[in-house]
Amino acid sequence: MARAVTVTYRVWQTAAEVAAGAAELFVAAASAAVDARGVARIAISGGSTPKAMFALLADQSQPYFARVPWAKLHLFWVDERCVGPTDVDSNYRMTNEAMLSKVPLPASQIYRMEGELEPELAATRYEETIRAAFGLDRSGSPIFDLVLLGMGDDGHTASLFPHTQALHELGRIVVANHVPQKDTWRITLTWPVIDRGREVAFLIEGAAKAQVLHDVLLGPYDPEAKPSQLIRPASGKLTMLLDAAAASKLPAVGTNGVGTLELS
């Protein structure tokens, strides 16, 4: 049974505005976490939209850099391709080039997935890394302060692809997921862990995502075919940061650029 959630979607006209909105969300979530618990633990995704956000966060001429509590930020990844950290397809490489190499974030607080390892070993090691970083015992599960997600035009999120085995994993924190449609393996957080995040947000851009976004939010509940439907946070709140093209098939937003949907 799917959990009821309130989806708040914010819509901007341009990709640059979406990136700025995402940077503001990142700063606000990190600051609130440090105020409440003394540390901010954020899980990020790859892709073009977060890349633009990372560049803004790292730009000292922008208002965000000085507001990020770098010394108390711990950065994790939602998923990774099974490649090395310098490979052009690596989510870590993209983040490092766009942000990490330019900001005062201690290396000991950057937790990359080791995509160069055998997939199952990489998943096991990352789960152990998360348990150690959060101080968890063998039965505990992490609660990230912010989880940033994307959505593919097939309805996947993280590396939870349609009709793959990871959709059925309920007990682990991280799994290796074989993706037959791409003839590859991926490492990914599991959806129950994502759903425990204090704040969970999708960053989605482009007309190519309009129909699948409509189907995920307003279509029949079929998470085997549209895994993004599994993202129903325990907080009861889900945020979506969208450009106008991606949001074109959703109900119109108000004059403030914000709309809401109730998912039951």
Side-chain angles (χ1 to χ4, degrees), residues 150-198:
M151 185 185 297
D153 55 14
D154 60 354
H156 86 268
T157 191
S159 280
L160 303 169
F161 284 81
H163 308 291
T164 56
Q165 199 59 38
L167 304 185
H168 306 286
E169 178 57 59
L170 302 179
R172 293 184 60 184
I173 296 172
V174 185
V175 292
N177 193 29
H178 185 238
V179 186
Q181 52 266 55
K182 291 186 176 291
D183 190 27
T184 190
W185 284 83
R186 299 284 186 91
I187 313 302
T188 186
L189 297 183
T190 58
W191 65 265
V193 169
I194 293 171
D195 277 352
R196 286 173 61 83
R198 291 186 174 89

Side-chain angles (χ1 to χ4, degrees), residues 101-213:
S101 61
K102 305 172 184 177
V103 300
L105 179 59
S108 61
Q109 293 165 206
I110 299 170
Y111 307 88
R112 76 172 182 90
M113 292 181 169
E114 297 170 285
E116 68 273 23
L117 301 180
E118 185 274 328
E120 292 290 352
L121 176 59
T124 297
R125 282 173 61 96
Y126 204 61
E127 179 157 332
E128 291 171 350
T129 294
I130 289 175
R131 289 193 184 282
F134 280 78
L136 298 173
D137 61 22
R138 301 309 303 173
S139 62
S141 185
I143 300 177
F144 289 98
D145 296 302
L146 173 63
V147 183
L148 291 172
L149 301 169
M151 185 185 297
D153 55 14
D154 60 354
H156 86 268
T157 191
S159 280
L160 303 169
F161 284 81
H163 308 291
T164 56
Q165 199 59 38
L167 304 185
H168 306 286
E169 178 57 59
L170 302 179
R172 293 184 60 184
I173 296 172
V174 185
V175 292
N177 193 29
H178 185 238
V179 186
Q181 52 266 55
K182 291 186 176 291
D183 190 27
T184 190
W185 284 83
R186 299 284 186 91
I187 313 302
T188 186
L189 297 183
T190 58
W191 65 265
V193 169
I194 293 171
D195 277 352
R196 286 173 61 83
R198 291 186 174 89
E199 186 152 11
V200 181
F202 282 87
L203 314 182
I204 306 173
E205 295 173 359
K209 306 290 179 68
Q211 187 61 52
V212 70
L213 179 57

Side-chain angles (χ1 to χ4, degrees), residues 193-264:
V193 169
I194 293 171
D195 277 352
R196 286 173 61 83
R198 291 186 174 89
E199 186 152 11
V200 181
F202 282 87
L203 314 182
I204 306 173
E205 295 173 359
K209 306 290 179 68
Q211 187 61 52
V212 70
L213 179 57
H214 170 276
D215 294 347
V216 165
L217 293 179
L218 299 171
Y221 186 71
D222 183 8
E224 274 288 323
K226 298 183 287 289
S228 290
Q229 291 182 326
L230 291 168
I231 308 307
R232 298 281 186 99
S235 67
K237 300 180 295 183
L238 177 62
T239 299
M240 294 199 162
L241 309 183
L242 314 171
D243 69 358
S248 62
K249 295 184 183 294
L250 298 183
V253 296
T255 55
N256 61 351
V258 179
T260 60
L261 291 169
E262 301 295 332
L263 304 184
S264 58

Side-chain angles (χ1 to χ4, degrees), residues 70-107:
W70 298 109
K72 298 180 179 180
L73 173 63
H74 291 244
L75 201 64
F76 301 81
W77 272 259
V78 168
D79 70 325
E80 182 58 279
R81 297 173 174 87
C82 288
V83 297
T86 61
D87 192 281
V88 67
D89 289 330
S90 166
N91 286 339
Y92 169 81
R93 174 180 166 169
M94 180 276 285
T95 310
N96 187 54
E97 291 178 348
M99 182 177 72
L100 299 180
S101 61
K102 305 172 184 177
V103 300
L105 179 59

